[in-house]
Amino acid sequence: MALYWRCKNCRSINSEKAEACRRCGSFEVSGYEIQVMIGGTLVRKSFRAGEYELAKAVELELKKKQELVRIAEKLKSVDEGLSKILGNDSFQKGSFVKVKIFWSKYFLWMKSNKKESTVRERTTRWKKHLKPFLGEKTLAEITPALVEKYKTEKLKQGYSPASINRDIALLRHMLSMAVKWGYLKEHPLKGKVEMLREVPIRQWTFLTREEYEAVFENLSETYRDLYQFLIFTGARLGEALNLRWKDIIWEAGVAYLRDSKANRPRVIVLSDCVIDMLDERKRKLNAKEDERVFKHSDSEFRRAFKRALKSAGLPESIRIHDLRHTFASWLAIKGVPIQQIKELLGHSQITTTLRYAHLNPETLRRVVNTLESFEEKITNDRKVVDFNKYLKKKTLKSA
């Protein structure tokens, strides 16, 4: 791994520490170049003269990748060596492989199979929580008793049950992959570790129609289209910001999300008012198909939203994600069935959507009231049944 600078005069490549060109003695730099061997492949990156800081940052990232590949190759050679010495069926490779070494292979797998945000979140959990606790332990040394000890220590340190559960979920998944890749014969935690009971830190909330309009009036015109889109589609902010004009199927009145939270494509149904807003926005911006529909950054919209809440006299504790709750809550209040709300929100489990069910008691009341007509019909037909006598009679008949 090395960072070089290119001489402007003779185009020679010089060491980063060289004060002058080794060939012509010139001090002028025309650009920088990184050369690094990763897994038997020479990787070269070039940068302009004013991009030294960028070149150094890229060099650091390439060093990390080089080290990960080196560890993965070392792990592979250890696997092959142990297999030859002990035989494939007589041992668990996990008895010899430390968890911190296995992490490198798991990390490379995540880079190819998981979203970038997922990789960042899991890497943070590993480095901050799991790695310091597990230390030099091997995969085979991970036991239910060890996980219980981890839970106890983290609770004493003040971490929430939700945070601890996510750490355990990561560890469990790593062990699942260890079983899949042949490091362990069976999952040591499967069916043996219970998650902590999670107590909601805050209740979800939604805006009333008046509050929605107050925020709209106090929001800069630049962000009003995005605000309306979130309220009337239930999309997540990240989904909306990644949406491109080519993803909107105007004839069907839907937007096709190529990358959602569930790491799978999903469709957003667009109401007439949203379609009209998008159509006008596209004409006004003279936008191209490959451009993003909303070119704002995540942080600038969040700041604008907080300013609008403050100006409207609403609690600043209201979050962007509460706009998604607002969409679902308004639908529930209008009597839309929970199953349909689930589909519109893109939830994979109906249990996630059931939080909105209590907002529509009138629909449930109509269902319960059907019992009254049933009771009235039985009474009118004089077919009241004593179930104890019925069961006794049926038992005697079957005997």
Side-chain angles (χ1 to χ4, degrees):
M1 163 76 70
L3 174 64
Y4 303 96
W5 61 271
R6 195 180 304 107
C7 176
K8 189 174 183 179
N9 183 42
C10 67
R11 310 294 293 174
S12 297
I13 297 295
N14 300 275
S15 167
E16 178 191 6
K17 297 180 180 179
E19 296 181 359
C21 177
R22 59 182 175 80
R23 178 177 293 177
C24 66
S26 173
F27 294 90
E28 291 189 84
V29 178
S30 66
Y32 299 93
E33 185 172 304
I34 298 172
Q35 297 180 9
V36 55
M37 188 69 71
I38 300 180
T41 303
L42 180 63
V43 179
R44 304 176 71 169
K45 299 284 184 181
S46 298
F47 303 87
R48 297 188 182 91
E51 297 179 332
Y52 176 75
E53 294 300 327
L54 176 60
K56 289 295 291 182
V58 172
E59 181 191 26
L60 181 61
E61 287 301 312
L62 288 175
K63 280 183 178 179
K64 291 179 182 178
K65 289 184 180 180
Q66 187 184 47
E67 181 63 14
L68 285 170
V69 171
R70 185 189 69 78
I71 292 174
E73 290 175 347
K74 183 179 178 181
L75 189 58
K76 183 180 178 182
S77 64
V78 169
D79 291 347
E80 293 172 349
L82 288 172
S83 297
K84 288 178 181 178
I85 295 171
L86 302 174
N88 290 324
D89 300 325
S90 60
F91 80 109
Q92 289 192 111
K93 288 185 285 187
S95 301
F96 301 88
V97 177
K98 294 178 180 179
V99 184
K100 66 179 183 181
I101 298 297
F102 180 79
W103 165 260
S104 301
K105 183 169 184 175
Y106 181 77
F107 179 83
L108 290 175
W109 174 84
M110 283 198 301
K111 292 281 283 185
S112 302
N113 295 276
K114 296 294 180 181
K115 294 169 61 176
E116 187 178 342
S117 58
T118 303
V119 175
R120 283 199 306 269
E121 191 266 339
R122 292 187 182 181
T123 302
T124 300
R125 290 195 175 280
W126 164 254
K127 290 181 177 179
K128 187 176 179 181
H129 302 294
L130 292 172
K131 184 179 179 181
F133 177 80
L134 296 174
E136 300 296 317
K137 286 185 170 51
T138 64
L139 289 168
E141 290 177 312
I142 307 301
T143 62
L146 184 67
V147 174
E148 292 302 324
K149 181 182 177 183
Y150 179 81
K151 287 156 65 173
T152 302
E153 288 190 9
K154 286 296 178 181
L155 286 171
K156 286 181 179 178
Q157 293 171 16
Y159 288 97
S160 69
S163 177
I164 298 170
N165 284 343
R166 279 152 186 75
D167 293 344
I168 296 172
L170 171 56
L171 181 59
R172 283 167 58 169
H173 190 256
M174 288 176 64
L175 294 174
S176 294
M177 300 309 293
V179 173
K180 185 177 181 179
W181 294 335
Y183 289 88
L184 297 172
K185 291 181 180 179
E186 60 181 27
H187 199 301
L189 305 181
K190 190 173 183 179
K192 300 175 183 177
V193 173
E194 291 187 7
M195 293 297 200
L196 293 168
R197 182 173 178 272
E198 297 184 19
V199 179
I201 298 175
R202 67 186 298 280
Q203 290 187 337
W204 56 270
T205 187
F206 65 93
L207 303 180
T208 64
R209 193 78 189 190
E210 293 74 21
E211 290 170 337
Y212 155 72
E213 292 173 355
V215 173
F216 182 85
E217 291 299 325
N218 285 280
L219 195 64
S220 167
E221 287 189 16
T222 307
Y223 304 106
R224 285 181 176 178
D225 286 352
L226 176 54
Y227 174 66
Q228 283 187 305
F229 185 84
L230 295 175
I231 283 280
F232 291 108
T233 65
R236 300 176 180 90
L237 179 57
E239 294 173 339
L241 293 178
N242 287 327
L243 187 67
R244 298 183 182 275
W245 290 108
K246 65 182 180 182
D247 298 328
I248 298 175
I249 306 173
W250 300 96
E251 297 82 357
V254 299
Y256 181 75
L257 296 177
R258 302 174 188 277
D259 189 19
S260 66
K261 182 183 177 182
N263 203 23
R264 56 181 170 79
R266 81 176 183 94
V267 170
I268 288 182
V269 179
L270 307 175
S271 64
D272 292 342
C273 71
V274 171
I275 291 174
D276 291 342
M277 179 271 289
L278 291 174
D279 183 51
E280 184 180 349
R281 180 179 180 82
K282 187 177 184 182
R283 284 190 286 102
K284 188 186 299 182
L285 297 175
N286 193 24
K288 297 178 181 178
E289 287 295 300
D290 200 46
E291 292 179 343
R292 287 166 52 207
V293 177
F294 304 104
K295 295 185 178 181
H296 320 301
S297 73
D298 181 290
S299 56
E300 67 183 22
F301 180 72
R302 289 182 186 278
R303 287 194 294 269
F305 182 68
K306 289 297 181 186
R307 288 195 297 268
L309 287 175
K310 188 175 182 180
S311 300
L314 295 174
E316 293 185 49
S317 59
I318 295 175
R319 307 167 303 167
I320 297 290
H321 200 71
D322 289 326
L323 302 182
R324 181 169 161 85
H325 292 319
T326 299
F327 169 77
S329 300
W330 286 1
L331 290 176
I333 291 170
K334 287 289 186 180
V336 177
I338 286 295
Q339 184 62 39
Q340 292 181 15
I341 297 176
K342 170 186 174 293
E343 296 302 321
L344 290 169
L345 290 174
H347 287 160
S348 56
Q349 300 292 332
I350 190 69
T351 50
T352 310
T353 322
L354 285 175
R355 71 179 76 179
Y356 305 105
H358 74 281
L359 295 173
N360 187 20
E362 192 57 41
T363 301
L364 299 177
R365 189 177 293 111
R366 285 199 297 270
V367 174
V368 174
N369 283 340
T370 60
L371 291 176
E372 293 183 5
S373 60
F374 178 68
E375 181 185 3
E376 183 181 346
K377 184 178 187 305
I378 289 177
T379 304
N380 291 339
D381 294 345
R382 297 187 178 183
K383 292 182 179 179
V384 179
V385 179
D386 185 326
F387 279 97
N388 287 326
K389 290 182 179 179
Y390 170 77
L391 291 173
K392 186 176 179 180
K393 182 178 179 181
K394 189 169 183 180
T395 304
L396 290 171
K397 184 181 291 187
S398 60

